Amino acid sequence: VWETRRMSNRYLLSITITFVCCVTKTLEDIVNQDGPTAETNLTVPEIVQSLPTGWTQWAGAIGGAILVGLTGVLPLWVVPAKVGGSSSGPGNDDNLKYLLAFAVGGLLGDVFLHLLPETYQHMIDSGDEGGAGRIGVAVLTGILTFLVLEKVLEISNPETNEELREKENKKIVGYLNLFANCTDNLLHGLAVGTSFLSSFRLGVTTTAAILLHEIPHEFGDFAILLKSGFDRWEAAKAQISTALVGLLGALLALAFESNNDLETLLMYILPFTAGGFLNIALVSVVPELMEEKRPGPALGQFICVIGGIVAMSLLTMV
Protein backbone atom coordinates (compact mmCIF):
# COMPACT_ATOMS: atom_id res chain seq x y z
CA VAL A 1 0.00 0.00 0.00
CA TRP A 2 2.81 2.43 0.92
CA GLU A 3 4.65 1.55 -2.30
CA THR A 4 1.50 2.34 -4.27
CA ARG A 5 1.13 5.67 -2.49
CA ARG A 6 4.77 6.56 -3.14
CA MET A 7 4.28 5.79 -6.82
CA SER A 8 1.09 7.90 -6.81
CA ASN A 9 2.99 10.78 -5.20
CA ARG A 10 5.66 10.63 -7.90
CA TYR A 11 3.00 10.45 -10.61
CA LEU A 12 1.17 13.48 -9.20
CA LEU A 13 4.45 15.38 -8.87
CA SER A 14 5.42 14.66 -12.48
CA ILE A 15 1.98 15.78 -13.71
CA THR A 16 2.19 19.00 -11.68
CA ILE A 17 5.70 19.83 -12.91
CA THR A 18 4.70 19.16 -16.53
CA PHE A 19 1.59 21.34 -16.16
CA VAL A 20 3.51 24.21 -14.55
CA CYS A 21 6.17 24.09 -17.29
CA CYS A 22 3.53 24.19 -20.03
CA VAL A 23 1.66 27.08 -18.40
CA THR A 24 4.91 28.99 -17.81
CA LYS A 25 5.89 28.61 -21.48
CA THR A 26 2.46 29.81 -22.56
CA LEU A 27 2.66 32.80 -20.20
CA GLU A 28 6.05 33.77 -21.61
CA ASP A 29 4.71 33.62 -25.16
CA ILE A 30 1.68 35.74 -24.34
CA VAL A 31 3.67 38.25 -22.28
CA ASN A 32 5.92 38.68 -25.32
CA GLN A 33 2.81 39.59 -27.29
CA ASP A 34 2.27 42.60 -25.01
CA GLY A 35 5.87 43.76 -25.23
CA PRO A 36 6.61 47.31 -26.31
CA THR A 37 9.03 46.57 -29.15
CA ALA A 38 8.53 45.10 -32.56
CA GLU A 39 11.45 42.71 -31.98
CA THR A 40 9.58 41.07 -29.11
CA ASN A 41 6.47 40.60 -31.24
CA LEU A 42 8.46 38.66 -33.80
CA THR A 43 9.08 35.91 -31.22
CA VAL A 44 5.39 35.29 -30.63
CA PRO A 45 3.73 32.46 -32.57
CA GLU A 46 1.34 33.78 -35.24
CA ILE A 47 -1.55 31.74 -33.85
CA VAL A 48 -1.27 33.62 -30.52
CA GLN A 49 -1.15 36.99 -32.28
CA SER A 50 -4.33 36.19 -34.17
CA LEU A 51 -6.33 35.44 -31.01
CA PRO A 52 -8.63 38.13 -29.53
CA THR A 53 -7.46 40.12 -26.50
CA GLY A 54 -10.16 38.59 -24.28
CA TRP A 55 -8.68 35.15 -24.84
CA THR A 56 -5.46 36.08 -23.06
CA GLN A 57 -7.44 37.43 -20.10
CA TRP A 58 -9.50 34.26 -19.75
CA ALA A 59 -6.55 31.90 -20.26
CA GLY A 60 -4.37 33.82 -17.81
CA ALA A 61 -7.05 34.07 -15.11
CA ILE A 62 -8.04 30.40 -15.33
CA GLY A 63 -4.41 29.23 -15.46
CA GLY A 64 -3.48 31.46 -12.51
CA ALA A 65 -6.40 30.20 -10.42
CA ILE A 66 -5.43 26.59 -11.14
CA LEU A 67 -1.79 27.22 -10.19
CA VAL A 68 -2.87 28.77 -6.89
CA GLY A 69 -5.11 25.76 -6.22
CA LEU A 70 -2.27 23.30 -6.79
CA THR A 71 -0.44 24.64 -3.72
CA GLY A 72 -2.84 22.51 -1.66
CA VAL A 73 -0.85 19.34 -2.48
CA LEU A 74 2.54 20.75 -1.40
CA PRO A 75 2.17 19.71 2.27
CA LEU A 76 1.50 16.11 1.18
CA TRP A 77 4.99 15.95 -0.30
CA VAL A 78 6.83 17.98 2.34
CA VAL A 79 5.28 17.12 5.72
CA PRO A 80 6.67 13.74 6.93
CA ALA A 81 4.19 10.86 6.77
CA LYS A 82 4.59 10.07 10.46
CA VAL A 83 3.36 13.53 11.50
CA GLY A 84 -0.32 13.31 12.35
CA GLY A 85 -0.52 9.60 11.53
CA SER A 86 -2.52 7.10 13.53
CA SER A 87 0.70 5.65 14.99
CA SER A 88 2.15 9.01 16.08
CA GLY A 89 4.21 8.94 19.24
CA PRO A 90 4.76 11.79 21.70
CA GLY A 91 7.48 13.35 19.52
CA ASN A 92 5.37 13.30 16.40
CA ASP A 93 2.39 14.66 18.34
CA ASP A 94 4.61 17.58 19.36
CA ASN A 95 5.54 18.14 15.71
CA LEU A 96 1.85 18.31 14.77
CA LYS A 97 1.27 20.85 17.54
CA TYR A 98 4.15 22.95 16.22
CA LEU A 99 2.45 22.92 12.82
CA LEU A 100 -0.85 23.87 14.48
CA ALA A 101 0.88 26.76 16.27
CA PHE A 102 2.30 27.93 12.95
CA ALA A 103 -1.24 27.69 11.53
CA VAL A 104 -2.55 29.92 14.34
CA GLY A 105 0.12 32.52 13.59
CA GLY A 106 -0.61 32.31 9.87
CA LEU A 107 -4.35 32.78 10.40
CA LEU A 108 -3.87 35.73 12.78
CA GLY A 109 -1.34 37.30 10.43
CA ASP A 110 -3.67 36.79 7.50
CA VAL A 111 -6.53 38.48 9.36
CA PHE A 112 -4.73 41.50 10.83
CA LEU A 113 -2.03 42.06 8.19
CA HIS A 114 -3.89 41.15 5.00
CA LEU A 115 -7.67 40.73 5.07
CA LEU A 116 -8.69 43.61 7.35
CA PRO A 117 -6.17 46.17 6.00
CA GLU A 118 -7.27 45.30 2.47
CA THR A 119 -10.92 45.71 3.46
CA TYR A 120 -10.32 49.15 4.95
CA GLN A 121 -8.28 50.14 1.89
CA HIS A 122 -11.23 49.18 -0.32
CA MET A 123 -13.46 51.31 1.89
CA ILE A 124 -11.11 54.31 1.61
CA ASP A 125 -10.76 53.94 -2.15
CA SER A 126 -14.51 53.77 -2.61
CA GLY A 127 -15.09 56.85 -0.40
CA ASP A 128 -17.61 54.96 1.75
CA GLU A 129 -17.43 56.85 5.05
CA GLY A 130 -19.96 54.60 6.77
CA GLY A 131 -18.29 51.38 5.72
CA ALA A 132 -16.25 50.91 8.92
CA GLY A 133 -19.30 49.86 10.90
CA ARG A 134 -20.38 47.36 8.23
CA ILE A 135 -16.89 45.85 8.25
CA GLY A 136 -17.15 45.27 12.00
CA VAL A 137 -20.58 43.70 11.56
CA ALA A 138 -19.25 41.41 8.83
CA VAL A 139 -16.35 40.25 11.07
CA LEU A 140 -18.74 39.52 13.93
CA THR A 141 -21.06 37.72 11.51
CA GLY A 142 -18.18 35.50 10.41
CA ILE A 143 -17.22 34.64 14.01
CA LEU A 144 -20.79 33.90 15.09
CA THR A 145 -21.59 31.97 11.90
CA PHE A 146 -18.72 29.57 12.51
CA LEU A 147 -19.62 29.21 16.19
CA VAL A 148 -23.23 28.38 15.35
CA LEU A 149 -22.27 26.01 12.53
CA GLU A 150 -19.92 24.06 14.80
CA LYS A 151 -22.52 23.69 17.53
CA VAL A 152 -25.35 22.78 15.13
CA LEU A 153 -23.20 20.11 13.45
CA GLU A 154 -22.26 18.63 16.83
CA ILE A 155 -25.86 18.53 18.09
CA SER A 156 -27.29 17.14 14.85
CA ASN A 157 -24.83 14.24 14.70
CA PRO A 158 -27.07 11.12 14.71
CA GLU A 159 -24.28 8.72 15.80
CA THR A 160 -25.16 6.96 19.06
CA ASN A 161 -21.81 5.29 19.69
CA GLU A 162 -19.97 7.73 21.94
CA GLU A 163 -16.50 6.94 20.57
CA LEU A 164 -17.58 7.25 16.94
CA ARG A 165 -19.57 10.38 17.74
CA GLU A 166 -16.54 12.03 19.29
CA LYS A 167 -14.39 11.06 16.30
CA GLU A 168 -16.92 12.50 13.84
CA ASN A 169 -17.36 15.69 15.85
CA LYS A 170 -13.59 16.12 15.83
CA LYS A 171 -13.74 16.50 12.05
CA ILE A 172 -16.13 19.44 12.28
CA VAL A 173 -13.25 21.87 12.83
CA GLY A 174 -11.67 20.55 9.64
CA TYR A 175 -14.88 21.09 7.69
CA LEU A 176 -15.22 24.63 9.04
CA ASN A 177 -11.63 25.34 8.06
CA LEU A 178 -12.39 24.10 4.55
CA PHE A 179 -15.43 26.39 4.43
CA ALA A 180 -13.26 29.36 5.44
CA ASN A 181 -10.73 28.32 2.81
CA CYS A 182 -13.48 28.34 0.19
CA THR A 183 -14.23 32.00 0.88
CA ASP A 184 -10.50 32.79 0.98
CA ASN A 185 -9.92 31.02 -2.34
CA LEU A 186 -12.91 32.88 -3.80
CA LEU A 187 -11.13 36.12 -2.90
CA HIS A 188 -7.92 34.91 -4.52
CA GLY A 189 -9.80 33.94 -7.65
CA LEU A 190 -11.43 37.38 -7.79
CA ALA A 191 -8.03 39.04 -7.35
CA VAL A 192 -6.47 36.95 -10.11
CA GLY A 193 -9.38 37.59 -12.48
CA THR A 194 -9.50 41.36 -11.91
CA SER A 195 -5.73 41.70 -12.31
CA PHE A 196 -5.78 39.92 -15.66
CA LEU A 197 -8.62 42.21 -16.72
CA SER A 198 -6.31 45.17 -16.10
CA SER A 199 -3.26 43.77 -17.89
CA PHE A 200 -1.60 40.43 -18.46
CA ARG A 201 1.62 41.49 -16.75
CA LEU A 202 -0.28 42.62 -13.64
CA GLY A 203 -2.13 39.29 -13.66
CA VAL A 204 1.12 37.31 -13.69
CA THR A 205 2.54 39.45 -10.86
CA THR A 206 -0.63 39.09 -8.77
CA THR A 207 -0.70 35.31 -9.30
CA ALA A 208 2.93 35.02 -8.18
CA ALA A 209 2.23 37.10 -5.05
CA ILE A 210 -0.81 34.96 -4.15
CA LEU A 211 1.22 31.78 -4.70
CA LEU A 212 3.83 32.97 -2.18
CA HIS A 213 1.06 33.94 0.25
CA GLU A 214 -0.71 30.59 -0.05
CA ILE A 215 2.26 28.27 0.55
CA PRO A 216 2.60 28.86 4.34
CA HIS A 217 -1.21 29.10 4.58
CA GLU A 218 -1.63 25.63 3.04
CA PHE A 219 0.77 24.05 5.53
CA GLY A 220 -1.25 25.47 8.40
CA ASP A 221 -4.51 24.28 6.86
CA PHE A 222 -2.99 20.83 6.34
CA ALA A 223 -2.06 20.67 10.04
CA ILE A 224 -5.60 21.66 11.09
CA LEU A 225 -7.09 18.92 8.89
CA LEU A 226 -4.68 16.31 10.32
CA LYS A 227 -5.60 17.43 13.84
CA SER A 228 -9.28 17.06 12.92
CA GLY A 229 -8.86 13.38 12.05
CA PHE A 230 -8.31 13.56 8.28
CA ASP A 231 -5.64 11.27 6.90
CA ARG A 232 -2.99 12.77 4.62
CA TRP A 233 -4.71 11.87 1.34
CA GLU A 234 -8.11 13.08 2.55
CA ALA A 235 -6.55 16.38 3.64
CA ALA A 236 -4.78 16.89 0.31
CA LYS A 237 -7.89 16.06 -1.72
CA ALA A 238 -10.02 18.34 0.45
CA GLN A 239 -7.61 21.24 -0.06
CA ILE A 240 -7.57 20.73 -3.83
CA SER A 241 -11.38 20.64 -3.88
CA THR A 242 -11.51 24.11 -2.29
CA ALA A 243 -9.39 25.35 -5.20
CA LEU A 244 -12.44 24.95 -7.44
CA VAL A 245 -13.97 27.89 -5.59
CA GLY A 246 -10.91 29.95 -6.54
CA LEU A 247 -11.53 29.06 -10.17
CA LEU A 248 -15.16 30.15 -9.70
CA GLY A 249 -13.91 33.47 -8.32
CA ALA A 250 -11.72 34.05 -11.37
CA LEU A 251 -14.67 33.29 -13.68
CA LEU A 252 -16.91 35.68 -11.72
CA ALA A 253 -14.33 38.46 -12.05
CA LEU A 254 -14.14 37.90 -15.81
CA ALA A 255 -17.92 37.83 -16.08
CA PHE A 256 -18.45 41.04 -14.10
CA GLU A 257 -15.76 43.01 -15.98
CA SER A 258 -16.52 45.85 -13.57
CA ASN A 259 -14.40 46.76 -10.56
CA ASN A 260 -17.32 48.57 -8.91
CA ASP A 261 -19.36 45.37 -8.57
CA LEU A 262 -16.34 43.47 -7.25
CA GLU A 263 -15.46 46.21 -4.74
CA THR A 264 -18.92 45.88 -3.19
CA LEU A 265 -18.59 42.09 -3.04
CA LEU A 266 -15.13 42.26 -1.44
CA MET A 267 -16.34 44.68 1.24
CA TYR A 268 -18.42 41.84 2.70
CA ILE A 269 -16.46 38.68 1.84
CA LEU A 270 -13.08 39.89 3.17
CA PRO A 271 -14.23 40.68 6.75
CA PHE A 272 -16.52 37.63 6.88
CA THR A 273 -13.54 35.42 6.02
CA ALA A 274 -11.47 37.24 8.66
CA GLY A 275 -14.12 36.40 11.27
CA GLY A 276 -14.07 32.74 10.26
CA PHE A 277 -10.27 32.58 10.54
CA LEU A 278 -10.38 34.24 13.97
CA ASN A 279 -12.88 31.66 15.19
CA ILE A 280 -10.83 28.71 13.91
CA ALA A 281 -7.56 30.04 15.34
CA LEU A 282 -8.69 31.29 18.74
CA VAL A 283 -11.66 29.01 19.50
CA SER A 284 -10.81 25.71 17.82
CA VAL A 285 -7.00 25.47 17.86
CA VAL A 286 -5.54 27.70 20.61
CA PRO A 287 -7.39 25.93 23.50
CA GLU A 288 -5.65 22.66 22.58
CA LEU A 289 -2.27 24.39 22.50
CA MET A 290 -2.99 25.97 25.92
CA GLU A 291 -3.22 22.48 27.44
CA GLU A 292 0.56 22.08 27.03
CA LYS A 293 2.17 22.08 30.51
CA ARG A 294 5.81 21.41 29.56
CA PRO A 295 7.86 24.65 29.35
CA GLY A 296 10.02 23.56 26.38
CA PRO A 297 7.24 22.51 23.96
CA ALA A 298 5.08 25.47 25.10
CA LEU A 299 7.90 27.88 24.21
CA GLY A 300 8.40 26.09 20.89
CA GLN A 301 4.70 26.46 20.07
CA PHE A 302 4.80 30.17 20.92
CA ILE A 303 7.81 30.63 18.64
CA CYS A 304 5.90 28.84 15.86
CA VAL A 305 2.95 31.21 16.35
CA ILE A 306 5.33 34.17 15.99
CA GLY A 307 6.89 32.45 12.96
CA GLY A 308 3.48 32.19 11.29
CA ILE A 309 2.79 35.89 11.92
CA VAL A 310 6.22 36.90 10.64
CA ALA A 311 5.78 34.76 7.51
CA MET A 312 2.49 36.45 6.67
CA SER A 313 4.00 39.85 7.49
CA LEU A 314 6.88 39.31 5.07
CA LEU A 315 4.50 38.14 2.35
CA THR A 316 2.39 41.29 2.63
CA MET A 317 5.47 43.21 1.42
CA VAL A 318 5.55 41.26 -1.86
PDB file of all heavy atoms in Angstrom, residues 96-109:
ATOM      1  N   LEU A  96       3.154  17.876  15.284  1.00  0.00           N
ATOM      2  CA  LEU A  96       1.852  18.313  14.774  1.00  0.00           C
ATOM      3  C   LEU A  96       1.401  19.579  15.496  1.00  0.00           C
ATOM      4  O   LEU A  96       0.849  20.502  14.875  1.00  0.00           O
ATOM      5  CB  LEU A  96       0.810  17.204  14.955  1.00  0.00           C
ATOM      6  CG  LEU A  96      -0.617  17.539  14.503  1.00  0.00           C
ATOM      7  CD1 LEU A  96      -0.647  17.934  13.028  1.00  0.00           C
ATOM      8  CD2 LEU A  96      -1.555  16.363  14.753  1.00  0.00           C
ATOM      9  N   LYS A  97       1.659  19.661  16.792  1.00  0.00           N
ATOM     10  CA  LYS A  97       1.268  20.853  17.542  1.00  0.00           C
ATOM     11  C   LYS A  97       2.093  22.063  17.118  1.00  0.00           C
ATOM     12  O   LYS A  97       1.590  23.198  17.117  1.00  0.00           O
ATOM     13  CB  LYS A  97       1.405  20.608  19.044  1.00  0.00           C
ATOM     14  CG  LYS A  97       0.319  19.680  19.593  1.00  0.00           C
ATOM     15  CD  LYS A  97       0.351  19.597  21.103  1.00  0.00           C
ATOM     16  CE  LYS A  97      -0.818  18.761  21.621  1.00  0.00           C
ATOM     17  NZ  LYS A  97      -0.839  18.677  23.093  1.00  0.00           N
ATOM     18  N   TYR A  98       3.351  21.840  16.742  1.00  0.00           N
ATOM     19  CA  TYR A  98       4.150  22.952  16.225  1.00  0.00           C
ATOM     20  C   TYR A  98       3.554  23.459  14.906  1.00  0.00           C
ATOM     21  O   TYR A  98       3.492  24.665  14.658  1.00  0.00           O
ATOM     22  CB  TYR A  98       5.596  22.512  16.001  1.00  0.00           C
ATOM     23  CG  TYR A  98       6.356  22.214  17.280  1.00  0.00           C
ATOM     24  CD1 TYR A  98       7.271  21.171  17.348  1.00  0.00           C
ATOM     25  CD2 TYR A  98       6.162  22.985  18.426  1.00  0.00           C
ATOM     26  CE1 TYR A  98       7.968  20.888  18.512  1.00  0.00           C
ATOM     27  CE2 TYR A  98       6.840  22.705  19.608  1.00  0.00           C
ATOM     28  CZ  TYR A  98       7.748  21.656  19.643  1.00  0.00           C
ATOM     29  OH  TYR A  98       8.422  21.388  20.799  1.00  0.00           O
ATOM     30  N   LEU A  99       3.105  22.527  14.073  1.00  0.00           N
ATOM     31  CA  LEU A  99       2.451  22.924  12.822  1.00  0.00           C
ATOM     32  C   LEU A  99       1.146  23.672  13.102  1.00  0.00           C
ATOM     33  O   LEU A  99       0.814  24.652  12.430  1.00  0.00           O
ATOM     34  CB  LEU A  99       2.166  21.694  11.962  1.00  0.00           C
ATOM     35  CG  LEU A  99       3.285  21.210  11.039  1.00  0.00           C
ATOM     36  CD1 LEU A  99       2.864  19.936  10.315  1.00  0.00           C
ATOM     37  CD2 LEU A  99       3.663  22.277  10.025  1.00  0.00           C
ATOM     38  N   LEU A 100       0.398  23.196  14.109  1.00  0.00           N
ATOM     39  CA  LEU A 100      -0.846  23.871  14.482  1.00  0.00           C
ATOM     40  C   LEU A 100      -0.564  25.287  14.992  1.00  0.00           C
ATOM     41  O   LEU A 100      -1.301  26.227  14.684  1.00  0.00           O
ATOM     42  CB  LEU A 100      -1.586  23.071  15.554  1.00  0.00           C
ATOM     43  CG  LEU A 100      -2.265  21.782  15.095  1.00  0.00           C
ATOM     44  CD1 LEU A 100      -2.767  20.990  16.304  1.00  0.00           C
ATOM     45  CD2 LEU A 100      -3.420  22.085  14.152  1.00  0.00           C
ATOM     46  N   ALA A 101       0.508  25.433  15.772  1.00  0.00           N
ATOM     47  CA  ALA A 101       0.876  26.757  16.271  1.00  0.00           C
ATOM     48  C   ALA A 101       1.243  27.679  15.109  1.00  0.00           C
ATOM     49  O   ALA A 101       0.865  28.859  15.091  1.00  0.00           O
ATOM     50  CB  ALA A 101       2.038  26.641  17.250  1.00  0.00           C
ATOM     51  N   PHE A 102       1.968  27.150  14.140  1.00  0.00           N
ATOM     52  CA  PHE A 102       2.297  27.933  12.947  1.00  0.00           C
ATOM     53  C   PHE A 102       1.019  28.320  12.203  1.00  0.00           C
ATOM     54  O   PHE A 102       0.908  29.432  11.675  1.00  0.00           O
ATOM     55  CB  PHE A 102       3.218  27.124  12.038  1.00  0.00           C
ATOM     56  CG  PHE A 102       3.663  27.866  10.800  1.00  0.00           C
ATOM     57  CD1 PHE A 102       4.733  28.741  10.852  1.00  0.00           C
ATOM     58  CD2 PHE A 102       3.007  27.687   9.598  1.00  0.00           C
ATOM     59  CE1 PHE A 102       5.141  29.433   9.720  1.00  0.00           C
ATOM     60  CE2 PHE A 102       3.397  28.369   8.460  1.00  0.00           C
ATOM     61  CZ  PHE A 102       4.474  29.257   8.524  1.00  0.00           C
ATOM     62  N   ALA A 103       0.050  27.392  12.175  1.00  0.00           N
ATOM     63  CA  ALA A 103      -1.237  27.685  11.529  1.00  0.00           C
ATOM     64  C   ALA A 103      -1.950  28.828  12.238  1.00  0.00           C
ATOM     65  O   ALA A 103      -2.532  29.708  11.586  1.00  0.00           O
ATOM     66  CB  ALA A 103      -2.119  26.435  11.526  1.00  0.00           C
ATOM     67  N   VAL A 104      -1.919  28.834  13.576  1.00  0.00           N
ATOM     68  CA  VAL A 104      -2.554  29.922  14.337  1.00  0.00           C
ATOM     69  C   VAL A 104      -1.907  31.253  13.973  1.00  0.00           C
ATOM     70  O   VAL A 104      -2.591  32.257  13.698  1.00  0.00           O
ATOM     71  CB  VAL A 104      -2.439  29.659  15.855  1.00  0.00           C
ATOM     72  CG1 VAL A 104      -2.852  30.903  16.646  1.00  0.00           C
ATOM     73  CG2 VAL A 104      -3.312  28.479  16.254  1.00  0.00           C
ATOM     74  N   GLY A 105      -0.573  31.285  13.957  1.00  0.00           N
ATOM     75  CA  GLY A 105       0.125  32.518  13.585  1.00  0.00           C
ATOM     76  C   GLY A 105      -0.201  32.953  12.175  1.00  0.00           C
ATOM     77  O   GLY A 105      -0.394  34.142  11.900  1.00  0.00           O
ATOM     78  N   GLY A 106      -0.277  31.986  11.263  1.00  0.00           N
ATOM     79  CA  GLY A 106      -0.607  32.306   9.875  1.00  0.00           C
ATOM     80  C   GLY A 106      -2.008  32.877   9.745  1.00  0.00           C
ATOM     81  O   GLY A 106      -2.231  33.844   8.999  1.00  0.00           O
ATOM     82  N   LEU A 107      -2.971  32.290  10.467  1.00  0.00           N
ATOM     83  CA  LEU A 107      -4.346  32.785  10.404  1.00  0.00           C
ATOM     84  C   LEU A 107      -4.464  34.188  10.998  1.00  0.00           C
ATOM     85  O   LEU A 107      -5.116  35.069  10.428  1.00  0.00           O
ATOM     86  CB  LEU A 107      -5.286  31.821  11.135  1.00  0.00           C
ATOM     87  CG  LEU A 107      -5.520  30.468  10.466  1.00  0.00           C
ATOM     88  CD1 LEU A 107      -6.305  29.543  11.397  1.00  0.00           C
ATOM     89  CD2 LEU A 107      -6.270  30.627   9.151  1.00  0.00           C
ATOM     90  N   LEU A 108      -3.817  34.406  12.161  1.00  0.00           N
ATOM     91  CA  LEU A 108      -3.872  35.731  12.781  1.00  0.00           C
ATOM     92  C   LEU A 108      -3.172  36.768  11.902  1.00  0.00           C
ATOM     93  O   LEU A 108      -3.663  37.898  11.743  1.00  0.00           O
ATOM     94  CB  LEU A 108      -3.218  35.687  14.166  1.00  0.00           C
ATOM     95  CG  LEU A 108      -3.940  34.841  15.223  1.00  0.00           C
ATOM     96  CD1 LEU A 108      -3.160  34.854  16.536  1.00  0.00           C
ATOM     97  CD2 LEU A 108      -5.362  35.351  15.454  1.00  0.00           C
ATOM     98  N   GLY A 109      -2.030  36.383  11.327  1.00  0.00           N
ATOM     99  CA  GLY A 109      -1.337  37.296  10.433  1.00  0.00           C
ATOM    100  C   GLY A 109      -2.157  37.612   9.195  1.00  0.00           C
ATOM    101  O   GLY A 109      -2.189  38.756   8.720  1.00  0.00           O
TER     102      GLY A 109
END
